[in-house]
Amino acid sequence: MMPDLRHGAQVEDGGVRFTAWSASAERMWVSLFERAGTETARVEMERSGEIFTVWLPDLRPGQLYGYRADGVYEPRSGLWFDPERLLVDPYALAIDQPFRNHPELFARRGQGGDTAPFLPKSVVVQPEAFSLVPAVYSPGGLIYEINVRSFTILHPEIPVEQRGTIGALAHPSILAHFQKLHVAAVELMPIAAWMDERHLPPLGLRNVWGYNPVAFMALDPRIAPGGWAELQQTVRALHDCGIGVIIDVVFNHTAESDEQGATLSLRGLDARAYFRHADDGTLINDTGTGNTLNCEHEQTQRLILDSLRAYIRCAGVDGFRFDLATILGRTPSGFSAEAKLLQTLASDPEISSRVLIAEPWDVGPDGYQLGQFLAPFLEWNDRYRDDVRRFWRGDGGMVPTLATRLAGSSDIFAGEATRTVNFIAAHDGMTLADIVAYERKHNDANGEHNRDGHDENLSWNHGVEGHTPRADVIAKRARSVRRLLATLFMSRGTLMLTAGDEFGRSQQGNNNAYAQDNAITWIDWDNRDRELEEFVTYLAKLRSEYEVLRGVSFLTDDDVTWLDEAGKPMDGDKWSDPETRSLQLGLGDLKITLGPDEVLIEDKTGEVLIRC
């Protein structure tokens, strides 16, 4: 049976029941379509309070449909009703084709025609329920961040027709790669159906990251042509290898964007409820994308919770990473870790049984909230990222901070266990290889005259900007990459590695490659740095053998000894001296020495395990 969701298209009693929500619409219809796109029927839905519903006999899974809503058209008041705008069902579990930009989608009421020919249709589906098992992943293990399309689009061992899809992640060669890296969970960048930002098509660019969703529960047909069955099969294959699956979800905005954007789904159903508005009626933009979901509204909360339940019930995923998660806790007075939605996520028996990871910031006022989320949320720790980069770049006075980061960042996270997700590089920003090869971002290919992306990357180029044939510079960069990776794998808490960083992928200095669906983001498997890959494989093996490295509890003086470069206990003067550039720590049966020009890891017998 299909998992029980509250709204959408439910197959029942020899037909299909369509249920939609709107507090402001006056009338609503469901439009039915043939595969060729011809509208065959438009049936008015019955209203009961804020719920519109209709049961239609003799319909089956595979039926194409969409909604239409009518009412007041007053955009400055959050009212965008126009029955000529076909609307994707927010509860659709599938759409018949990817979203494409078309001028008609941006037309205003009375200015354009019917948008049905230009919009994907929702599809009635009845996916098989997944046999639920406890989450495979637990904090402390390595998370491997993947852009589904870019990861396998060039992989030589994967059948051409499967490359760039979720199904390719279950290929034996990919599973073997995960296993040798001791990957505990893959984290898939957004797989829900998305649309390109409207400025990209004129530039000949496409959004490849997926952080611009329209339908939260419908898998994007470009990366999941087999729909929920494809995701189910991939999750099962990964689970059979002991690997969990975490989905990156975007519940902070939709691709409908600002006042000039397209009416695709939520905007046409009830924008005043689903999006945050200022007192003057304008859209609040705490996301930098034109609109912000109103996560205080009960219906928005219901949609988010039901979307998560769909991923759990239909595919058995092990957790979620929440993009710009501060939005989930925004109230009129600012961010609150005890906001209703965050409390529900943390207490709901079904959802809280999965791993929950917050990206603890947005771009609105007081948007940076690292360390402020409550358990069980893990948090992306950008201070770990920045402080480790600063240390290996050679910045002075970093030793005390580095020690804190290695030990789990107790200055940020309260309690008995750290909630940190440590990383050196992520999808957003420079790749690991580019951090040591570029001092400046190089985003000209994005068509924004290099204005987009972060300006401060805490990177260093070893004397030459970008590609160079100089062997001495190449060797220095290789050592720096290995030191960064060794530091990451020797740190307490959960680790995250972005796919391809284990073998030197480059984006040519582009630190905002969201629109580069091309060789800039496609992973080059044939020309990867296999020596670096073997080094990371060894690091992963070492971490798996020493349980003390995988712990998430905070270290005490009984657990660790801190020594200076001479092997003597660190005293107050050494800790505070900005000229101190080296640190030794004794952790269990390991002695780890960091800086200024070397990482040295030895076991209790003095055998050198790593020197780089």
Side-chain angles (χ1 to χ4, degrees), residues 315-363:
V317 303
D318 300 271
F320 304 95
R321 181 262 187 190
F322 296 91
D323 183 64
L324 299 184
T326 302
I327 296 295
L328 307 183
R330 280 212 173 262
T331 70
S333 58
F335 173 79
S336 172
E338 297 180 348
K340 183 179 179 182
L341 178 56
L342 292 178
Q343 285 189 323
T344 303
L345 292 171
S347 62
D348 181 88
E350 189 173 6
I351 296 170
S352 67
S353 70
R354 313 287 110 175
V355 62
L356 306 177
I357 302 173
E359 182 184 38
W361 51 76
D362 62 33
V363 300

Side-chain angles (χ1 to χ4, degrees), residues 555 558-563 584-592:
L555 297 173
D558 294 331
D559 302 316
V560 62
T561 56
W562 303 101
L563 308 173
Q584 289 186 23
L585 61 151
L587 186 60
D589 293 332
L590 295 173
K591 184 172 75 170
I592 303 168

Side-chain angles (χ1 to χ4, degrees), residues 104-253:
E104 285 289 343
L105 299 176
F106 298 86
R108 298 300 175 244
R109 183 164 182 163
Q111 298 177 351
D114 187 358
T115 61
F118 315 108
L119 194 75
K121 311 305 182 290
S122 305
V123 184
V124 176
V125 296
Q126 195 174 20
E128 174 190 352
F130 199 92
S131 298
L132 292 183
V133 295
V136 170
Y137 179 78
S138 59
L142 173 65
I143 295 174
Y144 190 75
E145 186 190 35
I146 294 173
N147 179 272
V148 171
R149 177 166 167 79
S150 299
F151 185 57
T152 61
I153 194 70
L154 297 179
H155 198 290
E157 297 181 40
I158 294 175
V160 173
E161 65 275 10
Q162 194 180 38
R163 294 179 188 177
T165 69
I166 289 172
L169 302 181
H171 191 275
S173 64
I174 298 299
L175 296 176
H177 186 72
F178 295 156
Q179 289 176 308
K180 77 175 185 179
L181 293 177
H182 293 266
V183 170
V186 295
E187 180 176 299
L188 308 185
M189 289 168 62
I191 60 176
W194 75 85
M195 189 168 84
D196 292 338
E197 291 80 356
R198 64 180 180 269
H199 72 279
L200 293 182
L203 297 171
L205 299 174
R206 296 187 298 271
N207 186 319
V208 71
W209 283 0
Y211 292 96
N212 205 35
V214 180
F216 299 141
M217 302 186 204
L219 306 183
D220 196 287
R222 290 166 291 191
I223 58 174
W228 285 97
E230 180 173 345
L231 181 58
Q232 283 182 354
Q233 292 162 10
T234 300
V235 170
R236 287 193 178 102
L238 288 160
H239 281 183
D240 287 345
C241 295
I243 299 169
V245 178
I246 297 169
I247 305 296
D248 197 335
V249 288
V250 183
F251 297 130
N252 54 71
H253 79 284

Side-chain angles (χ1 to χ4, degrees), residues 52 65 86 280 290 304 318 393 407 412 437 466 530 600 603:
F52 292 79
Y65 72 100
L86 186 71
D280 65 358
I304 291 171
D318 300 271
R393 188 174 66 170
I412 298 173
R530 295 177 186 271
L600 176 64
D603 68 11

Side-chain angles (χ1 to χ4, degrees), residues 15-16 38 59 82 110 113 135 144 181 219-220 268 270-271 329 376 433 466 470 474 482:
V16 176
T38 303
L59 297 185
D82 181 355
Y144 190 75
L181 293 177
L219 306 183
D220 196 287
D270 200 325
R470 286 179 50 182
I474 293 172
R482 283 162 171 75

